[in-house]
Amino acid sequence: MRQIEHIKESGGWLNRYTHDSACCHCEMTFSVYLPPAASTRKVPALYFLSGLTCTDDNVRVKAGAQRYAAALGIALVMPDTSPRGEGVADDPDRYDLGQGAGFYINATCEPWASHYQMYDYVTRELPALVEAELPLIPGLKSITGHSMGGHGALICAFKNPGAYQSVSAFAPICNPVNCGWGEGCLSAYLGDDREAWNAWDATALVKAGAKPLPLLIDQGTGDEFLAEQLHPRALVDACLERNIPIQFRMQEDYDHSYHFIASFIGEHLAFHARHLQSD
């Protein structure tokens, strides 16, 4: 880890790091907010996965999460959305494929497979790195995200029972095998076998037997992507069919932007804080 920024905020420190990733075979950047409590003790962590076109910078600047994390004694870990740099595959004509659009899966098709191993990066490499280098409680973590990152948070939680204490999402892509964003990326990264896509779809994972954990989703009724891309009802119905508890809230008139996230980020951190209490 190479520290490239160190900013005092809400009594704690907002740090930014780069490191050479063994999963993604490139230099990766991520940010961590350490609350004031981290100066005297270990603290649990909440991972925030950002959406299409974003980097780690969007959430740390726009969401207003740090002040809540400071009060609750939770560290925030904010990874990038994809591998980047010279030699990393990209499609410059598309915002929804390539750099900025890693979809938090492990690609199996070239030219993507060489670098696009974001699932392994988020669930294995990055936690091991930050827990070794920073005052975090090993294994005590939760996960959240927005849009593509909400999809990432859900699949990481459902595919790793016991790894996360809780999961939440803002306007997540809930059924990517049945939406344009998901079909475009999954076909490129994984090939044409649609059955293989189900391993990276939150709705399909629930139907296949994913274990329940505390789950909160907020969705704005004014979201311009709600009807065509997000499909939250598919996930809600799958949870109801399997008697999996889900707290799903439709927020009147809110759109897909960080104004929406900033309006409810405090409630999401409080939700996770209740489940991150160490014994």
Side-chain angles (χ1 to χ4, degrees), residues 167-215:
V167 59
S168 73
F170 297 88
I173 303 171
C174 293
N175 193 200
V177 302
N178 289 316
C179 77
W181 283 341
E183 290 176 332
C185 282
L186 295 177
S187 61
Y189 297 150
L190 302 174
D192 296 329
D193 181 5
R194 297 183 71 96
E195 283 298 314
W197 300 1
N198 287 332
W200 308 102
D201 181 296
T203 299
L205 289 169
V206 168
K207 290 180 177 179
K211 293 184 178 180
L213 76 166
L215 170 59

Side-chain angles (χ1 to χ4, degrees), residues 16 19 21 24-29 50-58 79-90 95 97-102 104 115-116 118 148:
R16 204 176 195 190
H19 73 107
S21 170
C24 297
H25 301 106
C26 65
E27 183 178 80
M28 296 292 287
T29 301
S50 292
L52 286 169
T53 75
C54 292
T55 70
D56 63 301
D57 201 39
N58 296 76
D80 201 349
T81 53
S82 77
R84 298 181 191 270
E86 186 176 353
V88 175
D90 193 21
Y95 73 93
L97 179 67
Q99 294 188 33
Y104 303 102
H115 297 281
Y116 285 74
M118 287 299 294
M148 178 186 73

Side-chain angles (χ1 to χ4, degrees), residues 66-123:
Q66 286 89 304
R67 58 176 173 157
Y68 299 107
L72 294 166
I74 296 173
L76 301 175
V77 182
M78 298 161 277
D80 201 349
T81 53
S82 77
R84 298 181 191 270
E86 186 176 353
V88 175
D90 193 21
D91 188 337
D93 296 324
R94 291 181 57 179
Y95 73 93
D96 58 347
L97 179 67
Q99 294 188 33
F103 247 80
Y104 303 102
I105 69 171
N106 288 339
T108 57
C109 294
E110 295 297 351
W112 313 102
S114 299
H115 297 281
Y116 285 74
Q117 304 295 312
M118 287 299 294
Y119 173 78
D120 280 352
Y121 178 74
V122 166
T123 60

